Every structure is written in C-alpha cells, then in structure tokens.
Amino acid sequence: MGLFDGKKGVVFGIANERSIAWAITQQLAEQGAEIGFTHLPDKDPARPKNENKVRRLVDPLGAKFVLPCNVQDDEQLDSVFKSIEEQFGKIDFVLHSIAFAPPQDLTGPVYNVSRGGFTTAMDISVYSLIALAGRARPIFNEGGSLLTLTYLGGERVIPGYNLMGLCKAGLESATEYLASEMGPEGLRVNAISAGPVKTISASGVGDFKKMLQLYETFSPLRRNISEEEVGKSGMFLLSDLASGITGETLHVDCGYHVMG
Ligand code: NDP
C-alpha cells in the first residue's frame, strides 16, 4: 500500500535528473501516485529537446501525460489545465518547482536590477504559483495539496542570491495568503525551503560553491542536504500525512536556518 495509491497530480518544473521536482517525483511514484508532467515548450518543435529530456525520465514511471507549458502564457496554462481535467477529472496534488531570473539581473546588485528583469523574475517565480493555484482550485479533490520550493534568501540576505531573494519573499507570502484563502475549501498550500542543491537553476546563483561550503561547516548536521531528502519531505507535504499542515515553509536544509 502506497501513500498515494489512487491519487493523481501534476508536476511542473522537471528540467533534468538533477531537478528538485524529479527528486520529489520519484518519491511520489514510489508511493503509487499517477502523475502528469509539463515542460518548457521547445523553440523548434521538430527538435523537441526539452520534451525528450523530461520524457526520458518520466515515461519509465508511467507518466500519464507530458505537456508543454510556459507559465508566462495564460493561454497555455488554460489549455494545460483543460487537458489535466480531461485526463484526470479531479486531482489531489500540484508541485510547483519553477523559478527564473535573467542572468544579467540575477548576478548584479539589487539596486541595478532592471524593470524588465524584475517583472520577468517575479512573473515566472512568484505569479506562476498564483496562476497554478487559481486553475487547480476548481479541480482539486477535498484535501488537495499544492507545494512550492523556496530558499532562505527570501527570509534574510544571502550574498549572491540577490533578485531571487526578493522573489522568494514574495513566493512565501503568496504561499501564506493562498493557504488562508484555500484552507476553508479543505485545500493546503505549503513551501519547502531547501538547502542548496546542484541544479541548473542553482548554477545561475553567484557564490553557490561558497554556499555549499557554509552549509557543510555551520549547519547543525554539518553537511549538505541530499536531493532524496528534499524529495521525501516534498512527498510528505503533498501527502495526507501532512493533512494538518498548511501555510508552512518547512526548512529542509540540515538545520542551517537556525544558525546566526
Ligand atoms: P531546475 O533548473 O532543475 O528547475 C527549474 C525549472 O523551472 C526548470 O524545469 C525550468 O525549465 C523551469 N522554468 C523556468 N522558466 C519557466 C517558464 N517560464 N515556464 C515553465 N517552466 C519554467 O532547478 P531546481 O530544481 O533547483 O529549481 C526548482 C525550484 O527549487 C526553484 O523554485 C528554485 O528556486 C528552488 N530551489 C532550489 C534550490 C537549489 O539549491 N537548487 C534551493 C532552494 C530552492 P527549463 O530548465 O526547461 O528552462
């Protein structure tokens, strides 16, 4: 018996086998979940690189569908949720594991961030959670669970995290407001604040190597988090084991957040 037997949901944000969304997906699949996936649309449909990368991972798990979705595009979001409803009817969980900031705006100091870069980063990294929540709400089963991924740089200044820190502060606030609005309908919204994990997105963050060293030296557990640990915690928050938890940002970071 798996925790997700008979449960269905959608995962947004697998880029490759290093993605945090992939770590959570593996745990969900192990517990019996039926899962559909999205990927960033390919520029050249004749050479579907993004789709192939995702399919290579999720097809062996018995993915129910793999659909293109740029979260900046309302029409694509509408069409994806229409397909989700056609395929699944009702759903039990949605994983939002998406963030982006233009490199030139992410690497510089916050006072140099351009208006366009700020808007793009907030749109993809924060508004997308709201866009998913609004569309998932009507098709969630009672007990439905929405999960997003954040980082400590949204709570306090972490050198190198810059613009993404502002986005994560917004994302954590959105998590709380959405939890308060959707809670009366029996729906839960939570975030995992993960310690640093080597992924494509992380490679855009300055001082990332230094971050890994800091966690190893100063976190209470004196090491970095493993992807599997984030995967298990994500699965927990999406499951009925966490039925009393909403509006929460759960730190899965070897305890680093309690230090200084
Ligand atoms: P990944 O790069 O593997 O995942 C980010 C995903 O966002 C990719 O699948 C990417 O697609 C997708 N994406 C970007 N822009 C769009 C868009 N417009 N529409 C749809 N999808 C889009 O990195 P992670 O797994 O590290 O990141 C997942 C989440 O975890 C992010 O919110 C990140 O901030 C957060 N996080 C990461 C930490 C880390 O150390 N890695 C620590 C704490 C939080 P594509 O690659 O095809 O562009």
Side-chain angles (χ1 to χ4, degrees):
M1 276 284 286
L3 287 168
F4 281 80
D5 285 348
K7 291 197 186 285
K8 298 169 183 166
V10 190
V11 169
F12 292 78
I14 296 183
N16 60 25
E17 66 284 350
R18 287 186 167 181
S19 297
I20 290 177
W22 172 237
I24 298 174
T25 291
Q26 290 174 86
Q27 299 297 326
L28 292 169
E30 207 166 285
Q31 294 297 329
E34 287 181 50
I35 318 172
F37 300 87
T38 69
H39 62 86
L40 198 60
D42 283 285
K43 286 191 185 115
D44 179 2
R47 294 172 60 213
K49 264 175 61 181
N50 292 345
E51 180 179 348
N52 287 346
K53 266 197 291 180
V54 174
R55 279 199 182 278
R56 186 174 55 82
L57 293 172
V58 304
D59 281 350
L61 294 183
K64 293 299 163 194
F65 52 83
V66 178
L67 298 168
C69 182
N70 181 343
V71 293
Q72 289 192 283
D73 185 327
D74 280 332
E75 276 179 24
Q76 275 181 37
L77 283 163
D78 288 340
S79 146
V80 162
F81 273 87
K82 195 165 166 255
S83 301
I84 294 170
E85 195 173 3
E86 279 164 11
Q87 300 261 358
F88 277 160
K90 295 272 179 183
I91 56 172
D92 303 286
F93 63 89
V94 172
L95 173 61
H96 169 275
S97 188
I98 286 176
F100 176 80
Q104 65 276 20
D105 291 292
L106 186 59
T107 49
V110 168
Y111 56 71
N112 275 342
V113 168
S114 69
R115 192 184 300 272
F118 181 86
T119 309
T120 300
M122 283 286 178
D123 187 18
I124 297 178
S125 312
V126 187
Y127 181 73
S128 59
L129 179 71
I130 296 167
L132 297 194
R135 286 169 176 84
R137 213 188 115 241
I139 59 166
F140 260 139
N141 280 319
E142 168 96 24
S145 180
L146 171 61
L147 178 67
T148 189
L149 269 299
T150 186
Y151 179 63
L152 190 61
E155 292 171 57
R156 64 173 91 141
V157 174
I158 303 283
Y161 207 60
N162 309 339
L163 171 58
M164 195 47 70
L166 280 64
C167 292
K168 293 308 191 191
L171 185 73
E172 288 170 26
S173 179
T175 300
E176 293 178 1
Y177 275 90
L178 291 169
S180 114
E181 291 168 0
M182 291 163 69
E185 297 163 19
L187 307 176
R188 299 184 295 109
V189 187
N190 290 294
I192 282 186
S193 183
V197 176
K198 275 190 204 164
T199 63
I200 300 184
S201 292
S203 64
V205 174
D207 295 334
F208 186 74
K209 272 193 190 147
K210 229 184 259 173
M211 269 185 194
L212 289 171
Q213 283 163 4
L214 279 173
Y215 277 69
E216 217 172 288
T217 312
F218 295 115
S219 71
L221 296 181
R222 297 289 192 276
R223 63 176 175 83
N224 277 286
I225 200 75
S226 73
E227 295 209 27
E228 190 185 352
E229 287 169 315
V230 182
K232 284 180 179 166
S233 305
M235 184 274 289
F236 159 71
L237 279 178
L238 287 171
S239 81
D240 289 343
L241 289 180
S243 58
I245 302 175
T246 193
E248 180 71 356
T249 293
L250 178 68
H251 294 85
V252 183
D253 64 353
C254 296
Y256 185 83
H257 66 286
V258 304
M259 306 305 288

